[in-house]
Amino acid sequence: MSVAENLRGPGAPTATVTIDGARYDLPIRKGTLGPDVLDINSFYQETGCFTYDPGYTSTASCESKITFIDGDKGILLYRGYPIDQLAEQGSFLETAYLLLYGELPTAAQLAEFTDRITRHTMVHEQMTRFYTGFRRDAHPMAVMVGVVGALSAFYHDSIDIKDPSQREMASVRMIAKMPTIAAMAYKYSIGQPFVYPRNELDYSANFLHMCFAVPSEEYKVNPILARAMRRIFILHADHEQNASTSTVRLAGSSGANPFACISAGIACLWGPAHGGANEAALTMLQEIGTVERIPEFIKRAKDKDDSFRLMGFGHRVYKNYDPRAKIMQKTCHEVLEAVGLRNDPILKVALELERIALSDDYFIQKKLYPNIDFYSGITLKALGFPTDMFTVLFAIARTVGWIAQWKEMIADPSQRIGRPRQLYTGATERAYVPMSQREAPQRSS
Ligand code: CMC
């Protein structure tokens, strides 16, 4: 098989694929930014061949107008706006509005959207009973998967995905309730009473209040910490077709209700190669412990026979610095300063590890740079969160992106159920063997 680009001739450019002497023209589609795409939609029908791309490294799974990443240049845009500008200047709900509806809101639009969200921040009181069904030491992500999925058992009036107003209602409910559900998971794990939302606070400050206030005394949210929380939420709000977003889209493609789809996204996010990496990065920094031990860990990360990796380093898409990591590093310094941890030994280890890794040939050649999770773990710890809450905070923020992507998919007239194919390498057809004639076979997994 050979592929040659064919840019000549009338109409749109095509690429030509030759299979056993037969030529097939594939349309080349151009986006507003990013690489061209060979449209293989009818490839199987025309050629009888599948394409093979485990991990989807070369596959655009959908058309989207929401988020753009240029991994080589270290660029991340939400609806065209650079992430650093949004994180520095925008509010979280403004970013949410942008991701959901495509444009920055006017003051009146933002006020109306904020009002709509804040009127849905409480959860059905009966839902509090779910929590007591979980063990106190349950991982809060396990609780999130269960409780968010169970929203569909409470809000029947917003699960008809064919009705745009129900889709909108489900979206508002999830964005509004996610911080409440997450804070309840935290409070339950430490044996404290649930704290109800305070709608006079903004999204991030309200979340900190629900996590750290107790009924017995007044709790004032530190504005520096609230700003850090806001930035963390904005930085994590969307990230193109990553594993959890693709999971939400795939679940949604079958017509599953939105609460079930977001619950599936949370389950996927939990994995250590995805949202669980901030927890893993902090654990690693604590394990390294002192600057003197860094070379030992760098050596291990480079050793092919050692499965150890520098957590918080490397990214499937960013082969330059992760633009979110820059803002996260700055935020980390601000938070540590605000809570009196400027000389935190873990921060020292992180800064030195980053310096050494960035000047090491192995990391340079493989284009391994710190990603957002490298500094977010230290920051979240300084904010007062235990490590098992880190991925939960990621899930709160990413809910906006998941919903924006899910809504885009449902509204797309070309949407069909997602159904990948496979390269089958198992047994060919064979006849059933009665038990009495079977010899002990080798088991395959
Ligand atoms: N430390 C040491 N070596 C590494 C690392 C690392 N963190 N990451 C990749 N490599 C090496 C890897 O061993 C491989 O080497 P070789 O070519 O010799 O076999 C090469 O770099 C390519 O790695 P890969 O696993 O094929 O790359 P990938 O694109 O499949 O994986 C990744 C991306 C993020 C899963 C991986 O870099 C990793 O495991 N990093 C640590 C976990 C982490 O920080 N994850 C957070 C990602 S950012 C949050 C998000 O957006 O979800």
Side-chain angles (χ1 to χ4, degrees):
M1 184 193 303
S2 69
V3 181
E5 194 177 332
N6 173 8
L7 292 165
R8 269 177 268 134
T14 56
T16 306
V17 180
T18 310
I19 305 172
D20 295 335
R23 289 162 57 91
Y24 304 93
D25 283 341
L26 302 175
I28 299 177
R29 296 192 57 189
K30 290 188 178 297
T32 47
L33 291 169
D36 294 346
V37 168
L38 300 189
D39 187 340
I40 56 165
N41 205 11
S42 51
F43 191 70
Y44 171 59
Q45 210 182 352
E46 287 177 19
T47 65
C49 286
F50 295 145
T51 56
Y52 180 63
D53 184 18
Y56 308 114
T57 317
S58 303
T59 296
S61 62
C62 62
E63 185 181 325
S64 182
K65 293 182 168 50
I66 302 173
T67 293
F68 174 75
I69 302 172
D70 185 328
D72 293 326
K73 295 194 183 127
I75 291 172
L76 169 60
L77 309 175
Y78 292 167
R79 302 280 190 183
Y81 295 100
I83 189 64
D84 54 321
Q85 294 178 21
L86 292 167
E88 288 295 348
Q89 299 169 51
S91 75
F92 179 69
L93 286 184
E94 189 184 8
T95 304
Y97 187 101
L98 173 70
L99 286 168
L100 289 168
Y101 308 113
E103 296 298 336
L104 285 168
T106 62
Q109 286 168 330
L110 182 59
E112 191 273 331
F113 181 63
T114 305
D115 182 57
R116 226 174 338 135
I117 295 288
T118 47
R119 275 190 291 119
H120 288 277
T121 48
M122 291 204 316
V123 295
H124 194 294
E125 192 60 19
Q126 214 176 318
M127 288 192 78
T128 58
R129 297 200 208 137
F130 285 158
Y131 288 82
T132 50
F134 290 106
R135 284 171 54 138
R136 292 249 180 221
D137 61 356
H139 196 292
M141 283 298 273
V143 177
M144 294 295 288
V145 171
V147 175
V148 173
L151 288 173
S152 47
F154 274 84
Y155 300 103
H156 295 144
D157 58 346
S158 50
I159 57 173
D160 178 0
I161 62 153
K162 295 204 175 76
D163 177 349
S165 67
Q166 291 204 26
R167 296 205 293 267
E168 181 65 16
M169 178 49 76
S171 308
V172 166
R173 279 185 170 140
M174 274 189 281
I175 294 167
K177 293 183 200 308
M178 205 58 80
T180 314
I181 292 169
M184 287 167 79
Y186 174 56
K187 286 298 198 190
Y188 180 71
S189 73
I190 56 171
Q192 288 185 3
F194 298 139
V195 174
Y196 287 94
R198 296 281 296 269
N199 289 348
E200 77 276 16
L201 298 174
D202 73 18
Y203 197 86
S204 315
N206 173 49
F207 176 62
L208 291 176
H209 187 268
M210 286 191 291
C211 287
F212 300 121
V214 286
S216 47
E217 57 189 59
E218 201 189 340
Y219 174 81
K220 276 214 159 13
V221 181
N222 179 330
I224 297 175
L225 305 191
R227 183 179 63 189
M229 195 72 257
R230 170 178 64 76
R231 282 204 199 125
I232 291 169
F233 282 159
I234 293 174
L235 292 179
H236 287 88
D238 196 40
H239 212 224
E240 207 223 55
Q241 306 310 319
N242 57 86
S244 58
T245 301
S246 299
T247 301
V248 170
R249 278 186 178 259
L250 193 57
S253 77
S254 74
N257 77 69
F259 304 108
C261 296
I262 301 303
S263 175
I266 295 172
C268 176
L269 183 71
W270 193 2
H274 192 4
N278 49 17
E279 188 174 334
L282 180 67
T283 309
M284 177 196 73
L285 291 171
Q286 284 168 333
E287 195 191 337
I288 297 175
T290 61
V291 167
E292 291 69 40
R293 295 191 64 203
I294 291 174
E296 177 195 327
F297 283 83
I298 295 267
K299 198 170 155 214
R300 283 188 60 195
K302 289 158 50 171
D303 183 353
K304 277 226 165 289
D305 300 324
D306 190 330
S307 61
F308 174 79
R309 283 187 171 199
L310 277 193
M311 298 313 284
F313 268 79
H315 198 275
R316 171 62 63 82
V317 179
Y318 294 118
K319 300 302 173 195
N320 192 320
Y321 209 92
D322 177 345
R324 304 168 302 171
K326 276 187 194 154
I327 308 159
M328 205 58 242
Q329 191 201 48
K330 179 179 162 205
T331 305
C332 180
H333 282 288
E334 288 171 4
V335 168
L336 292 181
E337 178 87 37
V339 299
L341 283 173
R342 196 169 4 133
N343 296 319
D344 185 31
I346 297 298
L347 179 66
K348 274 200 187 129
V349 173
L351 287 170
E352 188 57 10
L353 182 63
E354 180 180 4
R355 193 190 64 75
I356 295 177
L358 290 182
S359 56
D360 188 294
D361 264 359
Y362 174 91
F363 291 88
I364 294 170
Q365 270 166 22
K366 294 192 186 298
K367 300 188 173 172
L368 298 169
Y369 295 88
N371 57 50
I372 185 169
D373 292 319
F374 190 64
Y375 283 104
S376 64
I378 313 172
T379 314
L380 295 174
K381 178 169 173 263
L383 282 170
F385 291 103
T387 45
D388 60 6
M389 277 296 287
F390 292 0
T391 319
V392 174
L393 308 188
F394 191 160
I396 295 174
R398 187 55 59 85
T399 295
V400 170
W402 289 331
I403 290 173
Q405 301 267 353
W406 171 80
K407 284 180 82 181
E408 183 181 63
M409 181 194 72
I410 299 288
D412 182 347
S414 67
Q415 189 265 324
R416 306 164 72 192
I417 187 167
R419 178 56 169 93
R421 301 305 300 264
Q422 62 177 6
L423 172 65
Y424 177 71
T425 53
T428 51
E429 186 172 336
R430 48 188 171 164
Y432 178 81
V433 182
M435 185 74 78
S436 58
Q437 293 169 23
R438 286 180 216 167
E439 289 171 13
Q442 292 288 319
R443 284 180 64 173
S444 60
S445 55

